[in-house]
Amino acid sequence: MEPSKVKTFGILTSGGDAPGLNAAIRAVCRTARTQYGMKAIGIRNGYRGLVKGDMAPLEQDDLVGLLTVGGTILGTSREKPFKNPEKDEETGLLPVEAIKKNYKKWKLDALVCIGGNGTNTTASMLAAEGLNVIGLPKTIDNDIVHTDMTFGFHTALDVATDAIDRIHTTAHSHSRIMVIEVMGHKAGWLGLYSGIAGGGDVILIPEIPYDISCVAKKVEERRDAGRNFSIIVVAEGAKSREESLLDKKAFKKARAAMPYSIAYRVAHELENATGLESRVTVLGYLQRGGTPSSYDRVLATRFGTEAAHFLAEGDFGKLVALQNGQIVGVPLEEIAGRVKNIPVDHPMIKTARELGTCLGD
C-alpha cells in the first residue's frame, strides 16, 4: 500500500441524481482501498445523512456491478445545512454542529461530496468550517465553473437527442410545430447541444431572451418554403425579453404564477401567432435516469480515481475538475455560488446561427 494522509473518509451524493454517480462512488472507493488501504463510509441521502448520522461502511461487495447502474446507491436529497438552519428538537444542535459531531463520531479524516452547484457550495462552506472536503462535479446541466465537463451531461444529451430524433418523424407526418422542453433552469448547455444534434429549427435557452415574433417568423418562413413542420427545443429556464428585464424576485414570482411549464407557453404563443397546430413534449426526469453512457462512465471513473489520490495527498478543499483534457484541483471557494452560463459568443452559438437556427433573438 502507498502512504496516505487519510485512513477513513465519508462519501455522499447530493442534489438531483445524474447518470454516473455510482461509477464515481465505485472509482473513489476502489482506488482508495486498493492503492492506499483506506476505509470508506457511505453517507445516506446526501447532507441529510451527514446531519442525522445515517451512514455505514462501504465494503468491496457493495461496489460490485455499480459501473453501469443509474441513480445512486447512497441515495440523495437537496438538504442545505447552512440555509435557514434550525436546532434539532432532540439534540439541540444546529445542522453544522451535528455534522461536526458525526464527522468525529465516525472518525472521518475527510469527506467526498459528489454533486452540482449547490452540493459544492455547501462543500466549500464545510471546508471553511475546518472539515477536510473534496468535491466531484456531477450535473446534467454542465454548469459548474472551472470544469470543461461534468459527468451526467453526455448521457442526458444522448437521451434528449434521441427524443428529438423520434419527434421529428411525427412532426413531419402531421405538419405540426413540435415543442420539446429539456432541463436547464439557469444554463442552456443541454438545450443548445441537443438542439443542434437533433436538428432543431429553433433553440431557446436562458442566456438569450427570446422574442416570440422572431420565433414565429422562423416558423412562417419554413411554412412558406414548403416545410410545414418545425422543431422547437426549449430549455426549461428560457425567458422572454420582457422577463429578462425583471429582477430575480419578480421573475420567480411570475414563473410561480404560470399554470404550466415554459414549453406550453411557447406552443400557445406560436399557435396564436402562426395558426399552426402545436404539440408539446416535456422530457423531464427521463433525461436524468437510466444507464450512463460510455463517456460518462469513463469521466466519472477518472474523477473518482483522482479524488482518491487527492485524499491520500491531503489535497483538500478542492473540486476535482477537467480542464483541457487534464484532471486538476480547483479551490472550492472559486466554485461556490457560481453558474457556468453559455457566453453569447460561444462557438456553439455561432455554429447554430450559421446553420440558420433561430435562437429567438
Side-chain angles (χ1 to χ4, degrees):
M1 296 291 177
E2 297 180 41
S4 172
K5 293 185 177 180
V6 168
K7 292 182 179 179
T8 304
F9 67 94
I11 183 168
L12 62 82
T13 54
S14 180
D17 66 306
L21 280 169
N22 282 325
I25 294 167
R26 170 182 177 268
V28 176
C29 296
R30 284 187 62 172
T31 305
R33 178 178 286 109
T34 59
Q35 297 297 312
Y36 302 103
M38 293 185 215
K39 181 179 179 181
I41 303 297
I43 301 167
R44 300 186 183 98
N45 301 317
Y47 290 115
R48 182 183 301 160
L50 192 56
V51 172
K52 298 294 184 182
D54 186 8
M55 50 188 84
L58 276 176
E59 306 297 346
Q60 187 69 28
D61 288 348
D62 297 322
L63 308 175
V64 175
L66 284 190
L67 183 63
T68 62
V69 179
T72 164
I73 61 166
L74 295 176
T76 186
S77 71
R78 295 190 182 276
E79 186 82 11
K80 296 180 179 179
F82 289 91
K83 187 175 182 180
N84 302 321
E86 295 183 1
K87 289 185 177 181
D88 184 88
E89 293 183 359
E90 293 183 8
T91 65
L93 296 176
L94 289 168
V96 176
E97 294 172 342
I99 286 173
K100 290 181 178 180
K101 180 180 178 180
N102 288 321
Y103 186 89
K104 291 180 180 178
K105 176 183 176 181
W106 284 85
K107 298 179 181 179
L108 303 181
D109 300 309
L111 289 173
V112 175
C113 303
I114 310 175
N117 289 306
T119 299
N120 284 292
T121 295
T122 298
S124 176
M125 297 169 80
L126 288 175
E129 290 286 330
L131 302 188
N132 297 327
V133 184
I134 293 172
L136 268 69
K138 167 277 313 175
T139 170
I140 70 167
D141 294 326
N142 194 39
D143 62 351
I144 298 178
V145 298
H146 298 309
T147 184
D148 296 339
M149 194 62 60
T150 61
F151 69 84
F153 174 72
H154 266 261
T155 305
L157 174 58
D158 288 346
V159 172
T161 301
D162 181 66
I164 295 168
D165 289 346
R166 293 172 185 273
I167 289 169
H168 244 116
T169 61
T170 297
H172 187 272
S173 298
H174 291 271
S175 299
R176 287 174 177 158
I177 299 172
M178 302 297 280
V179 184
I180 303 104
E181 183 178 303
V182 301
M183 285 184 168
H185 272 297
K186 297 180 180 179
W189 297 99
L190 186 56
L192 179 62
Y193 276 67
S194 65
I196 291 174
D201 304 298
V202 177
I203 301 172
L204 304 181
I205 57 177
E207 292 85 348
I208 303 177
Y210 73 86
D211 182 339
I212 198 63
S213 64
C214 294
V215 180
K217 180 181 178 182
K218 175 67 175 181
V219 171
E220 289 170 340
E221 287 175 352
R222 287 179 53 77
R223 177 188 59 190
D224 294 343
R227 294 186 285 275
N228 293 323
F229 73 94
S230 292
I231 298 294
I232 318 291
V233 179
V234 183
E236 61 186 333
K239 61 184 73 174
S240 67
R241 286 181 179 173
E242 292 77 16
E243 287 175 320
S244 70
L245 300 176
L246 300 175
D247 60 32
K248 185 177 180 180
K249 184 177 180 180
F251 176 72
K252 288 182 71 174
K253 184 178 179 180
R255 278 299 165 91
M258 280 175 54
Y260 34 62
S261 66
I262 185 64
Y264 287 94
R265 189 181 78 186
V266 169
H268 180 69
E269 291 171 338
L270 284 176
E271 278 193 345
N272 289 339
T274 66
L276 294 174
E277 190 177 16
S278 299
R279 289 291 185 272
V280 173
T281 299
V282 179
L283 298 184
Y285 293 108
L286 285 173
Q287 298 157 91
R288 292 215 315 232
T291 302
S293 66
S294 299
Y295 182 94
D296 278 335
R297 295 180 205 180
V298 171
L299 184 59
T301 298
R302 286 189 70 190
F303 283 147
T305 55
E306 288 296 328
H309 300 320
F310 278 38
L311 287 171
E313 294 164 6
D315 195 5
F316 305 126
K318 301 286 183 66
L319 177 84
V320 183
L322 179 71
Q323 295 181 359
N324 300 317
Q326 302 298 314
I327 301 295
V328 300
V330 179
L332 282 167
E333 63 264 27
E334 295 182 13
I335 309 297
R338 300 180 62 189
V339 174
K340 184 179 72 177
N341 293 109
I342 306 175
V344 294
D345 59 349
H346 191 275
M348 290 301 285
I349 295 286
K350 181 182 179 183
T351 295
R353 294 192 190 281
E354 290 176 345
L355 288 170
T357 305
C358 172
L359 297 177
D361 59 345

